[in-house]
Amino acid sequence: MELAGKKILLGVSGGIAVYKSCELLRLLQKKGAEVRVCMTDAATEFVAPLTFASLSKCPVYLKNGAVEARPFQHIDFPRWADLYLVVPATANVIGKFACGIADDPVSLCFMSCTCPRVIAPAMNVAMYNSPAVKRNLEILRGFEDTTVLESPAGELACGEVGQGRLMEPAEIVAYLETRDERRETRDNEGESLPLASAAGASSATPSPVLSNAEASGGHPRNAPEPPAFPVAQDMDPTRDPTLPGHGKKVLLTAGRTEEAIDPVRYISNRSSGKTAVALASVFYANGFEVEVIAGPMEAAFPGGVAVSRVQSAREMHDAVMSRLESVDAVVHCAAVADYRPAHAADSKIKDSRSQLTIELVPNPNILRDCIAARKANASSAAGDARRQVIVGFALETDNFKQHAAEKLEKSGADALLLNAPVASDSGFGHNCVRYALVRPHAGIPEMHMGSKVDLAQEIVHFVLNELG
Ligand SMILES: Cc1cc2nc3c(=O)[nH]c(=O)nc-3n(C[C@H](O)[C@H](O)[C@H](O)COP(=O)(O)O)c2cc1C
């Protein structure tokens, strides 16, 4: 979703994370969006409406605001908006949204808006895990055009540790920018398209603004570039000790590899690198130091992420192995060629009009070699080696569950991200993908459709949990 020129209504409810909505507002404005704000009474206890009014340069919609001046704010504001963002969403407003109660500006706007809605819950871990909140969030996920963002695990404002943090403002912006454009687009009559939430399956009808390639189900070569990471120059999440990834290092592999046939030809695949960019952004926003070994790819990495470029699978293998010991986690996201030509010709192979056979030999298996090296390091460190988390990717086109189970067992990875990148509505080059995070001894879950940022968040949560 292109944020420049978008009208965004920001609903603020009364949690400790209200101050982060101010930062979110500024980040959205930096991206060129126009933002207006509505607040619950409780939210005004945390940050004065004057702050939001000053930042947004517009009066805030409050329960006891100047009714004479704007009697229909509860309808005007949501109707004006292209997107309704509720950040933070308290347990209380989530309950109201789910049950159809509309007795404050934030829940009123939720009920009266016809644009897509994105909700970022934030609360104490016990509240987050309470049956009522779980049920209400599940109800909201089933609402048309409503997306519930993940609440990352980590240290909470109350001092407890667990799930319920507000997603970082920079991550929310990154999510919005990588959201499938089709979710945002209303048709000519002004009706919302029947689109699924991030966690649900997409049943999107093609919108009039789809490119020809997408509308025909073809490979979207012209899909928009993922955004540069929206962290302001003077903000460096790795320096923030309150972030859960603070002091931790992650190594990512990214993009595809190219295996030379001769000086001008190679064997490769269609990976765009978008998933790796989402992963790098979310790890970075969570305070991790992020290093990437990237093969060729179209997508650009955010500033703050260290990128080393390689071309072939063997180069990627050597680069990863040389950095392995210094990192807390490795996520193998690159689409590495399993095979390479046994011999790359020194000069261009001439067209002789006769059949040509290219002998292929297997490339090193980077995932398995990492796991073997981890084992070796752990035994040589006589038991006091720190935990290193290794996540692989299983890109499959058929027999998904069986292949993922076999790969997980053979590799010995801590988890595998099973993904099906060749569907016409998701995968290579798209911002959405069909995926499941597969863990040992936990059965193989059904794959679901989500944005690549959703996928990245799931992996980051997993890595944080594993690192303890
Ligand atoms: C210091 C403090 C922090 C709070 N933080 C949260 C929070 O992060 N999330 C939440 O759901 N409720 C939180 N609450 C409780 C809400 O403020 C309370 O449920 C309130 O009624 C919510 O109103 P609203 O949903 O209309 O904004 C907090 C309360 C206090 C006193």
Side-chain angles (χ1 to χ4, degrees):
M1 174 188 182
E2 172 64 55
L3 289 173
K6 282 280 181 312
K7 295 176 178 133
I8 297 178
L9 177 59
L10 180 60
V12 184
S13 59
I16 192 74
V18 171
Y19 70 97
K20 292 196 174 178
S21 311
C22 304
E23 187 191 342
L24 175 64
L25 193 162
R26 302 265 295 144
L27 290 175
L28 291 169
Q29 285 174 328
K30 276 188 187 161
K31 292 285 169 185
E34 194 185 336
V35 185
R36 290 184 186 178
V37 180
C38 59
M39 296 175 81
T40 63
D41 280 354
T44 66
E45 301 281 325
F46 290 88
V47 173
L50 182 60
T51 305
F52 285 103
S54 309
L55 294 175
S56 67
K57 299 178 183 66
C58 179
V60 174
Y61 170 26
L62 300 166
K63 191 168 184 178
N64 298 315
V67 174
E68 313 79 42
R70 306 177 81 92
F72 291 105
Q73 240 172 339
H74 67 292
I75 295 170
D76 292 348
F77 265 37
R79 202 146 289 169
W80 162 88
D82 297 316
L83 179 73
Y84 184 32
L85 262 182
V86 184
V87 183
T90 57
N92 184 51
V93 293
I94 287 167
K96 289 187 195 178
F97 297 165
C99 300
I101 297 169
D103 63 355
D104 66 79
V106 173
S107 55
L108 248 167
C109 287
F110 184 87
M111 190 172 277
S112 59
C113 77
T114 52
C115 59
R117 301 172 282 207
V118 174
I119 294 157
M123 65 199 74
N124 166 272
V125 57
M127 291 169 78
Y128 190 81
N129 287 326
S130 71
V133 169
K134 277 188 172 169
R135 179 201 57 208
N136 291 334
L137 287 175
E138 213 38 58
I139 291 173
L140 291 184
R141 287 189 187 102
F143 282 10
E144 201 171 88
D145 262 349
T146 303
T147 302
V148 178
L149 298 179
E150 278 290 308
S151 296
E155 194 179 345
L156 302 164
C158 55
E160 290 179 31
V161 175
Q163 203 165 1
R165 282 174 66 93
L166 180 70
M167 186 187 280
E168 287 302 315
E171 273 185 72
I172 295 176
V173 175
Y175 163 76
L176 294 176
E177 288 194 300
T178 53
R179 230 169 110 92
D180 190 337
E181 191 69 34
R182 279 171 289 178
R183 291 163 183 242
E184 314 303 330
T185 310
R186 284 179 261 170
D187 71 18
N188 291 340
E189 275 89 55
E191 288 290 309
S192 297
L193 288 171
L195 299 167
S197 70
S202 170
S203 58
T205 331
S207 94
V209 298
L210 285 185
S211 68
N212 289 339
E214 279 177 303
S216 64
H219 184 56
R221 281 271 164 227
N222 51 353
E225 273 281 284
F229 190 56
V231 171
Q233 295 281 318
D234 54 344
M235 287 167 62
D236 178 358
T238 61
R239 294 209 199 128
D240 182 347
T242 65
L243 291 175
H246 181 72
K248 298 190 171 70
K249 265 192 196 175
V250 64
L251 180 67
L252 309 176
T253 65
R256 51 188 181 262
T257 61
E258 292 177 353
E259 310 299 325
I261 297 170
D262 67 18
V264 293
R265 303 180 180 98
Y266 55 81
I267 296 173
S268 192
N269 58 67
R270 296 209 221 143
S271 171
S272 66
K274 281 187 173 188
T275 303
V277 170
L279 271 166
S281 301
V282 178
F283 270 112
Y284 184 58
N286 276 280
F288 280 83
E289 227 177 282
V290 182
E291 202 179 338
V292 184
I293 310 296
M297 55 188 272
E298 280 76 45
F301 282 99
V305 168
V307 184
S308 308
R309 298 283 172 182
V310 295
Q311 195 138 17
S312 67
R314 281 180 296 175
E315 285 171 11
M316 186 171 281
H317 175 271
D318 295 349
V320 169
M321 300 313 287
S322 70
R323 287 158 178 84
L324 198 58
E325 261 190 78
S326 65
V327 298
D328 301 283
V330 191
V331 181
H332 294 267
C333 176
V336 181
D338 294 327
Y339 291 91
R340 67 176 187 277
H343 308 285
D346 291 334
S347 53
K348 187 183 167 211
I349 299 170
K350 294 278 173 264
D351 176 8
S352 63
R353 292 290 97 195
S354 55
Q355 195 171 329
L356 183 68
T357 303
I358 297 174
E359 190 192 348
L360 299 177
V361 294
N363 270 324
N365 186 318
I366 305 177
L367 176 61
R368 264 185 248 170
D369 286 356
C370 279
I371 286 158
R374 173 174 74 177
K375 230 185 226 169
N377 288 342
S379 46
S380 67
D384 65 347
R386 66 196 167 135
R387 169 110 177 93
Q388 187 182 56
V389 182
I390 299 182
V391 179
F393 267 55
L395 184 158
E396 303 293 348
T397 56
D398 59 3
N399 291 334
F400 300 103
K401 291 189 171 189
Q402 189 196 332
H403 288 153
E406 284 168 8
K407 186 167 178 183
L408 184 63
E409 194 182 331
K410 267 195 209 157
S411 69
D414 298 307
L416 273 188
L417 197 290
L418 169 62
N419 65 119
V422 292
S424 63
D425 59 348
S426 60
F428 287 132
H430 284 273
N431 294 325
C432 289
V433 67
R434 207 169 284 283
Y435 72 94
L437 189 64
V438 184
R439 298 147 212 224
H441 320 298
I444 312 279
E446 290 301 328
M447 284 194 285
H448 57 279
M449 181 77 98
S451 75
K452 290 180 177 176
V453 174
D454 295 334
L455 174 160
Q457 278 159 2
E458 215 165 312
I459 292 179
V460 173
H461 289 165
F462 173 78
V463 168
L464 282 168
N465 276 337
E466 291 291 301
L467 290 174

